[in-house]
Amino acid sequence: MTLRLALGLTTALVYSVCQAQTPTLKLLTFESPPYQMAGPGADGSSLVVGETANTVACAANRGGWATRIRIAPQNRAIHSLERKMIDGYFAIDPSSELDTIAKRSDPVALEKWYFFSRDNRPFSRDLRIGVVSGSNEEAWLEANDYRIFLSVSSPAQLIALLKRDRIDTALMDERVMDRLRQTNDFIDPQLNTHFVRYAPLYLYLSETFTSDHPEFLGTFNRALTKCMAGQLALSDEEERRITKLSERLFRELNSILDIHQIIEAGPRQESFTDVMTIDSQWQALSPFQTPDLAEEILALPGSRALHAWQQSHPGLITEVMVVNDMGTLAAISQLTSDYWQGDEPKFQEVMGGAGSSAPAEQSLFISPIRYDTSAARFQVTVSTAVPSANGEKAEGVIVIGLGIEDALSEYERQ
């Protein structure tokens, strides 16, 4: 009787342990250093490592899943996904083919694509274009009716072709080029660049997996922001370009609008307690319902003028707001997610902190890149203080949202 009981308890314990094991997400990707690449595991086995692979694993882990990631050619990965042999495939451009058979996550990576050339001639579609065969870049070129002169098997081969003048320009990701610069001594440091696009890349999950685990995708998407932290940073050159563009936009806005009058005409609360109460109500309603105070602010002449100015820069400007020295909204071009901005870097970095008596620094603050799920695009915000007439504490802050891809393309056209 005691032995039977012991066996029963052992069986139950083994079953419980098996049940408690972390489920594993089976994924395929392709070789693309530094984003995903094969590397040695602790036990001598092969692992897939790199920024994007780590991001995917991080977001899955936060949802209670382990990952098993393998490298495979794109055609094989798509074939495996179609036949439900794997749970998912990353990191790829949006695909109309895959959209019919799988569910797409929010972006798991953001690449920056440039045409790299050795001479100063203006970029045109007539140039001899080189690209890596089977890459996201090749698919994009074909989808956008570019004529590809040569397709090769690796980015390093593209550099060799540029050196021998076999191609005029090569399309590749900026980080891939940076890695090649670090590992090859023959790359011309004076390569000229032509910005093409920010390329968001995605995880596609099989319909069978998402049907069996309907909660996974939402949890995964919510975890991506933290798991991608530090990866969505502007390069020094991009920050310089955004600064120049932003300075021009702020000059333009100040030349056509009286920002001081807009701040004076906006609502102002008597106490910080009132601000917090309104902000809580505002966040609870937005974006599904417009709070009463938001309706009042949107109806102000200053808000209507900001909206008209935003509309005059379609795609480039995603939002405009004028914030008073309390950190609350005085005017907005469209509904925002919250009323109080005083706890955010876009306010604090140019005002010296909410409620500070320090003079405004009159400098620009550029936020990190963030993904706006509702707009399905990457954006940055730029802000600057509104100086007071007597030169003391700033009266408030102007904030402009910029579509990052449009912003860099706009700078190229200047």
Side-chain angles (χ1 to χ4, degrees):
M1 188 71 176
T2 302
L3 178 61
R4 184 179 301 172
L5 178 60
L7 288 173
L9 290 172
T10 301
T11 302
L13 179 61
V14 169
Y15 178 78
S16 297
V17 169
C18 291
Q19 288 293 97
Q21 285 181 343
T22 303
T24 300
L25 190 65
K26 299 184 291 295
L27 304 172
L28 291 181
T29 187
F30 56 94
E31 185 89 10
S32 181
Y35 297 102
Q36 56 266 354
M37 52 197 169
D43 58 356
S45 61
S46 178
L47 290 178
V48 177
V49 297
E51 285 187 5
T52 304
N54 294 344
T55 293
V56 170
C58 169
N61 291 162
R62 286 175 178 267
W65 287 74
T67 54
R68 185 167 72 244
I69 304 173
R70 294 180 291 121
I71 298 288
Q74 185 168 354
N75 289 339
R76 185 191 304 170
I78 293 175
H79 174 86
S80 299
L81 194 60
E82 287 175 339
R83 283 155 182 76
K84 304 176 179 58
M85 300 164 62
I86 56 173
D87 297 321
Y89 173 47
F90 73 94
I92 52 175
D93 248 352
S95 162
S96 56
E97 176 186 0
L98 290 181
D99 282 334
T100 63
I101 63 167
K103 300 294 184 183
R104 192 198 319 166
S105 72
D106 285 348
V108 297
L110 180 63
E111 293 188 349
K112 306 170 186 180
W113 292 0
Y114 287 82
F115 281 112
F116 293 92
S117 309
R118 295 192 71 206
D119 55 39
N120 291 317
R121 81 181 80 175
F123 176 80
S124 75
R125 287 175 176 255
D126 296 329
L127 297 180
R128 296 173 299 167
I129 299 173
V131 69
V132 173
S133 178
S135 65
N136 289 314
E137 291 91 329
E138 182 184 52
W140 183 86
L141 287 170
E142 292 172 345
N144 288 274
D145 299 322
Y146 283 83
R147 184 170 58 85
I148 298 173
F149 184 75
L150 278 177
S151 295
V152 297
S153 60
S154 73
Q157 288 180 286
L158 290 177
I159 302 304
L161 291 172
L162 278 174
K163 181 179 175 65
R164 297 199 299 268
D165 200 30
R166 292 282 309 281
I167 58 175
D168 300 318
T169 189
L171 178 61
M172 70 175 73
D173 171 63
E174 178 188 54
R175 294 286 301 282
V176 173
M177 174 59 79
D178 288 345
R179 185 179 178 87
L180 288 172
R181 289 181 189 275
Q182 296 168 10
T183 57
N184 294 273
D185 58 7
F186 60 84
I187 293 181
D188 184 348
Q190 300 303 317
L191 284 174
N192 293 296
T193 62
H194 175 81
F195 175 74
V196 180
R197 65 182 292 234
Y198 272 84
L201 305 180
Y202 300 84
L203 164 67
Y204 274 94
L205 292 166
S206 73
E207 288 189 334
T208 298
F209 178 85
T210 54
S211 176
D212 291 344
H213 307 281
E215 78 295 336
F216 177 85
L217 191 54
T219 302
F220 181 88
N221 286 340
R222 287 190 292 272
L224 282 174
T225 299
K226 289 186 177 179
C227 289
M228 293 177 73
Q231 297 182 25
L232 301 182
L234 293 169
S235 68
D236 291 343
E237 175 60 18
E238 288 169 336
E239 187 160 326
R240 184 187 70 81
R241 295 182 178 194
I242 295 299
T243 297
K244 291 291 186 183
L245 175 62
S246 301
E247 288 171 345
R248 178 174 66 79
L249 290 172
F250 281 122
R251 285 195 302 270
E252 178 184 318
L253 187 59
N254 278 292
S255 71
I256 61 176
L257 295 178
D258 187 337
I259 304 299
H260 299 281
Q261 186 179 33
I262 289 176
I263 292 176
E264 290 176 4
R268 188 177 185 88
Q269 309 310 316
E270 294 184 0
S271 70
F272 187 68
T273 300
D274 292 339
V275 170
M276 291 295 95
T277 300
I278 293 172
D279 187 59
S280 296
Q281 295 169 346
W282 188 299
Q283 291 189 49
L285 294 174
S286 178
F288 305 107
Q289 185 178 339
T290 305
D292 292 341
L293 182 57
E295 292 275 15
E296 294 176 20
I297 296 174
L298 286 165
L300 292 171
S303 292
R304 294 200 298 269
L306 293 180
H307 177 75
W309 187 69
Q310 176 182 334
Q311 295 298 106
S312 70
H313 297 278
L316 173 62
I317 297 176
T318 59
E319 64 177 340
V320 195
M321 63 180 77
V322 175
V323 183
N324 63 30
D325 60 358
M326 288 187 72
T328 59
L329 296 172
I332 49 178
S333 65
Q334 61 191 40
L335 180 62
T336 62
S337 59
D338 47 10
Y339 174 59
W340 188 52
Q341 312 294 317
D343 61 338
E344 299 186 21
K346 62 175 177 269
F347 179 85
Q348 295 180 349
E349 292 296 321
V350 293
M351 285 288 288
S356 170
S357 59
E361 298 178 6
Q362 304 302 316
S363 60
L364 286 177
F365 171 73
I366 303 174
S367 75
I369 303 168
R370 66 179 179 86
Y371 182 71
D372 186 323
T373 304
S374 59
R377 65 186 305 181
F378 286 92
Q379 305 180 77
V380 296
T381 59
V382 291
S383 56
T384 190
V386 180
S388 62
N390 57 17
E392 295 180 356
K393 181 184 174 184
E395 293 185 11
V397 172
I398 309 173
V399 182
I400 299 176
L402 296 174
I404 185 62
E405 187 170 342
D406 291 87
L408 290 178
S409 298
E410 174 79 9
Y411 183 89
E412 292 272 356
R413 291 191 289 268
Q414 298 303 309

